Amino acid sequence: MFKRFRRLRTNEAIRSLVRETVLTSNDFMYPLFVKEGKFDKIEIGSMPGVFQMDIDEVVKECGIMLEVGLKSVLLFAIPDLKDSVGSECLCDHSLISRTIKAIKEKYPQMYIATDLCFCEYTDHGHCGIMDPKTQSVDNDATLEISAQQAIIHAKAGADMIAPSGMMDGIITTLRKALDENGFPNLPIMAYSTKFASAFYGPFRDVAESTPSFGDRRTYQMDVANRLEAIEESLEDEKEGADILMVKPALSFLDVIRDIRNNTNLPIAAYNVSGEYAMLKHAGNAGLIDYERVMMEKLLSMKRAGANIIITYHAKEACEILNNN
Ligand code: PBG
């Protein structure tokens, strides 16, 4: 006697009845990059289909997103002015503030999460204020200016703050700052498990945020560590995070599952730039069936336990889902 598993694989009707995981357009958040200036949009060589946009173009893109059923954006800003402390993002007239307001004016229903970090704003490209003694980011000094940045995003109308700098204590700091400044209902999506990954290369081209010296290994996590990832996540949960994140996604599906098994909070998976670029270039070279591989990859993140998938494929994936 043996079990005939194939009975439930006979045709699409029965396969779809027993299917355990299904992607929908509700699963995705779409990253957008706004750059200072007036130029419409510039495609990124390492990421075909991904653009730096000016404010008008971002607003236009939000309209297109809503048409395909994409209701949330993760916003990154690339300013002209960079200095040692990232002053551009610490004023009410910052690029990201102006962009949030412009989107909300035309599309108030668009859900805007903002990336909160300093690497796009500093001349050295690190994710905070440097400590000259250690040549690394000064954790506690960076917490102070992160709180300021969060309030500026909140005042401009952001719906969610997503701190990506991997500073210890960031969730406690931001929760307190938001609560004290009249934003107790603004959620925080913690980049709780952000690895010091080589998969961020293409993003740093788009965001113009490659560190001018050193790397990010003194603040981002060692890619070898599973248990530490759980600890980081549970700490952020304790500090008041509303959503936890694992980033990158594809090489870290085991970590998504580990965290899923240890928390009841929603989990976001960030399908990062290098993962997108590999697939896109392989597809363009005719080496893989791009659309099927893409959907399989996104599904694997949901199956691993992610509730939210942050991906540069979001628009393409929604178009495919809408046509099915
Ligand atoms: C840092 C930040 C990074 C990404 C998002 N926020 C890169 C880094 O740590 O250098 C990576 C996103 C991607 O690769 O798609 N603010």
Side-chain angles (χ1 to χ4, degrees), residues 23 279-280 282-284 288-299 313 315-317 319-321 323-324:
L23 286 170
L279 218 68
K280 210 36 167 187
N284 288 347
I288 53 167
D289 180 336
Y290 173 75
E291 293 193 346
R292 286 191 55 205
V293 174
M294 169 180 77
M295 297 310 272
E296 188 175 318
K297 177 178 83 158
L298 297 172
L299 185 81
H313 297 292
K315 226 167 56 174
E316 295 171 311
E319 279 159 7
I320 292 172
L321 292 169
N323 292 330
N324 278 342

Side-chain angles (χ1 to χ4, degrees), residues 31 33 47 74 76 115-120 125 127 162-166 191 194-204 206-207 209-211 216 219-220 245 247-248 270-276 310 312:
F33 300 94
M47 297 176 74
L74 179 59
F76 294 88
D115 181 78
L116 189 154
C117 196
F118 285 91
C119 62
E120 304 98 312
C127 300
S164 66
M166 286 299 277
Y191 279 68
K194 180 172 176 184
F195 290 101
S197 167
F199 281 97
Y200 307 144
F203 170 93
R204 293 179 187 170
V206 198
S209 66
T210 308
R216 305 208 203 288
Y219 40 105
Q220 297 181 347
M245 190 197 295
K247 174 185 177 180
Y270 198 139
N271 174 211
V272 302
S273 57
E275 300 170 346
Y276 172 87
I310 303 167
Y312 305 98

Side-chain angles (χ1 to χ4, degrees), residues 134-203:
T134 59
Q135 285 293 298
S136 177
V137 175
D138 181 331
N139 192 87
D140 297 13
T142 302
L143 290 181
E144 280 174 39
I145 54 172
S146 298
Q148 287 176 39
Q149 198 187 145
I151 301 305
I152 283 167
H153 293 189
K155 279 194 197 150
D159 295 295
M160 180 188 280
I161 309 287
S164 66
M166 286 299 277
M167 295 302 121
D168 292 328
I170 187 76
I171 305 301
T172 299
T173 303
L174 297 188
R175 190 67 272 155
K176 181 163 175 283
L178 291 168
D179 289 353
E180 287 176 356
N181 284 276
F183 301 102
N185 287 319
L186 202 69
I188 300 173
M189 175 162 66
Y191 279 68
S192 37
T193 311
K194 180 172 176 184
F195 290 101
S197 167
F199 281 97
Y200 307 144
F203 170 93

Side-chain angles (χ1 to χ4, degrees), residues 25 63-71 314-316 318-319 322:
S25 58
I64 298 170
M65 286 172 60
L66 290 168
E67 274 171 31
V68 300
L70 265 178
K71 301 181 286 281
K315 226 167 56 174
E316 295 171 311
C318 284
E319 279 159 7
N322 293 342

Side-chain angles (χ1 to χ4, degrees), residues 14 19 42 48-49 57 61 73 80 88 128 146 149 151 154 198 214 223 232 263 265 302 312:
I14 183 60
R19 189 161 293 139
I42 306 167
E57 196 62 29
E61 187 68 17
V73 56
D80 276 346
E88 200 279 344
S146 298
Q149 198 187 145
I151 301 305
V223 296
E232 273 272 11
T263 180
L265 288 186
K302 191 166 180 185
Y312 305 98

